[in-house]
Amino acid sequence: MTPGRPSPPPLAKPLPPLDPSASSADARLASGYGAHSSDGGLVPLTVSRRPPKEDDVEIAIEFCGLCHSDVHATRGEWSAPKYPLVPGHEIVGRVSGVGSAVDDFSIGDLVGVGCMVDSCRECESCLDGFEQYCEKGPVGTYGAIDSRNPGTITQGGYSSSVVVDRRYVLRVPENLDPAAVAPLLCAGITTYSPLRHFDVEEGDVVGVVGLGGLGHMAVKLAKAMGAQVKVFTTSEAKVAAAKELGADDVILSRDEIAMKAAAGSIDVIVDTVAAPHDLGPYFRTLRLEGALFQLGLPSDPMPPVNPWHLIRRRIAYSGSYIGGIAETQEMLDFCSEHGVVSDVEIVSAEQLNDAYDRMVAGDVKYRFVLDNKTLPAPAAKADA
């Protein structure tokens, strides 16, 4: 294992800002579901989509995954969003139109869009294929100011269509279930990226803390890379589920004897828990020069890290955030080769609010996906 694997070549290239010439009168109306306020739930909305510019791809959305961050965003739990807001950044669908300069996508292609739809394309991070770390900030798939399309806020995938610059569109392998692919565009790449950064391979031992949407993908991907996987959980009820996903061992993190027995046995830990927890016991399970990657983002402060845990075995404590466009495509191709997809429960538009409540309660194995054909017809006038 060698940390710091070079990034694949970026798909995005630096370009001057575009001056859109299309009239707002040419906009398409798309059906959607979104929020008008933090406490009003999700309701039918009509979304205005720009006509494709020369580098754009228009996508008829078939499925969109539900991410827990969608709940935080629409309910205003992280910041005060600009309403109305249509969430969704795990988009899979078919190309329905292309701009005049697009020669790498054709109508009918199965494609995907993940957590970002643009970046500055000029900073070192973007040029190295790390658009997610754009120094000016990537443009989120929803709720973000779209600087190349002045006066607009991006709206996401709980809608019938979307228009995205071709450089941020991904090819979805036809051999995979498109509904089960959708969560790969967030949960999949979020767990794949740190595993590849640390070059996990056959013979390595990977620990996964938590068995939710992120955790179950970490188990599947690490196993596909040939690693031995140990899942840490606080719940005895998840022991069988972890083994069904392919885990080689399940350790109850509240069992001091089991945690002591695991000391010094793991190369890389992927921590997916989004609640404050003490990392000390997990650091003790790492081998010399091991690493713990923090993926879960608690809303409250974490307990402080004791530097001694890091120093005594030259352990790295790191974070990781989704992945660049090229790496996301690499992940999709890897999943195609190994038959890896997310475990999903498909819901209709009318079930979205219930699905949000169930996500908050942890009542899903392991990701919800919206069937976009259940969206109502658009109104005569756009809400967003």
Side-chain angles (χ1 to χ4, degrees):
M1 301 179 303
T2 306
R5 182 181 66 90
S7 168
L11 293 183
K13 300 294 184 183
L15 292 175
L18 299 178
D19 181 18
S21 58
S23 166
S24 60
D26 298 324
R28 276 85 156 156
L29 294 180
S31 58
Y33 244 72
H36 278 293
S37 65
S38 62
D39 57 0
L42 299 175
V43 297
L45 295 173
T46 297
V47 184
S48 176
R49 297 296 191 190
R50 68 178 184 267
K53 297 185 295 185
E54 62 176 8
D55 285 312
D56 281 341
V57 174
E58 185 175 40
I59 303 166
I61 304 174
E62 297 180 356
F63 298 99
C64 185
L66 278 61
C67 179
H68 206 121
S69 61
D70 298 344
V71 179
H72 293 305
T74 56
R75 295 180 178 179
E77 294 171 349
W78 280 346
S79 61
K82 182 176 175 59
Y83 294 107
L85 179 66
V86 176
H89 56 211
E90 301 174 355
I91 298 169
V92 174
R94 297 276 176 184
V95 174
S96 57
V98 295
S100 60
V102 176
D103 58 7
D104 45 353
F105 292 100
S106 301
I107 292 176
D109 286 350
L110 186 63
V111 296
V113 177
C115 300
M116 56 187 166
V117 292
D118 207 346
S119 61
C120 81
R121 314 183 193 182
E122 298 174 344
C123 71
E124 184 176 352
S125 294
C126 285
L127 296 179
D128 285 345
F130 294 116
E131 297 95 338
Q132 76 273 34
Y133 301 122
C134 174
E135 293 167 20
K136 295 182 180 179
V139 178
T141 305
Y142 65 85
I145 296 173
D146 191 350
S147 59
R148 293 180 200 272
N149 296 280
T152 61
I153 302 294
T154 58
Q155 302 292 348
Y158 297 9
S159 59
S160 56
S161 68
V162 69
V163 178
V164 180
D165 185 290
R166 66 176 179 82
R167 297 165 186 82
Y168 300 82
V169 177
L170 300 145
R171 293 189 176 278
V172 172
E174 292 277 0
N175 67 313
L176 299 178
D177 176 0
V181 165
L184 298 182
L185 298 167
C186 179
I189 184 57
T190 297
T191 48
Y192 179 89
S193 186
L195 293 171
R196 291 295 284 123
H197 176 78
F198 216 77
D199 275 339
V200 167
E201 58 190 4
E202 187 174 358
D204 292 335
V205 180
V206 173
V208 178
V209 183
L211 197 67
L214 288 174
H216 98 287
M217 286 309 313
V219 172
K220 289 189 174 192
L221 290 166
K223 286 296 295 182
M225 292 174 181
Q228 180 184 355
V229 177
K230 298 184 179 184
V231 170
F232 294 94
T233 179
T234 60
S235 172
E236 291 188 23
K238 290 190 175 182
V239 172
K243 291 185 175 180
E244 287 175 5
L245 289 168
D248 298 283
D249 192 13
V250 184
I251 301 168
L252 293 173
S253 55
R254 293 175 177 171
D255 184 336
E256 293 183 5
I257 295 176
M259 291 294 286
K260 186 175 181 179
S265 67
I266 296 174
D267 296 294
V268 182
I269 292 176
V270 178
D271 188 339
T272 71
V273 174
H277 55 289
D278 182 11
L279 296 176
Y282 302 107
F283 286 134
R284 295 186 189 99
T285 69
L286 287 169
R287 292 174 175 164
L288 178 67
E289 296 186 334
L292 188 152
F293 283 90
Q294 189 72 47
L295 302 184
L297 184 60
S299 55
D300 295 320
M302 290 275 284
V305 170
N306 182 345
W308 177 242
H309 292 311
L310 310 181
I311 292 170
R312 66 189 300 265
R313 284 198 179 94
R314 195 154 63 183
I315 286 169
Y317 176 40
S318 182
S320 186
Y321 177 57
I322 54 174
I325 298 301
E327 189 174 45
T328 304
Q329 187 64 61
E330 177 187 293
M331 177 271 304
L332 289 170
D333 296 340
F334 176 88
C335 289
S336 173
E337 179 182 354
H338 295 275
V340 175
V341 290
S342 181
D343 286 12
V344 302
E345 178 180 338
I346 298 176
V347 297
S348 68
E350 292 183 347
Q351 295 173 306
L352 282 170
N353 286 303
D354 180 57
Y356 270 28
D357 290 339
R358 287 179 57 192
M359 271 198 287
V360 172
D363 180 24
V364 56
K365 289 180 65 175
Y366 287 91
R367 299 285 286 202
F368 286 118
V369 173
L370 171 65
D371 181 351
N372 288 58
K373 73 173 180 290
T374 66
L375 291 166
K381 183 179 178 181
D383 300 291

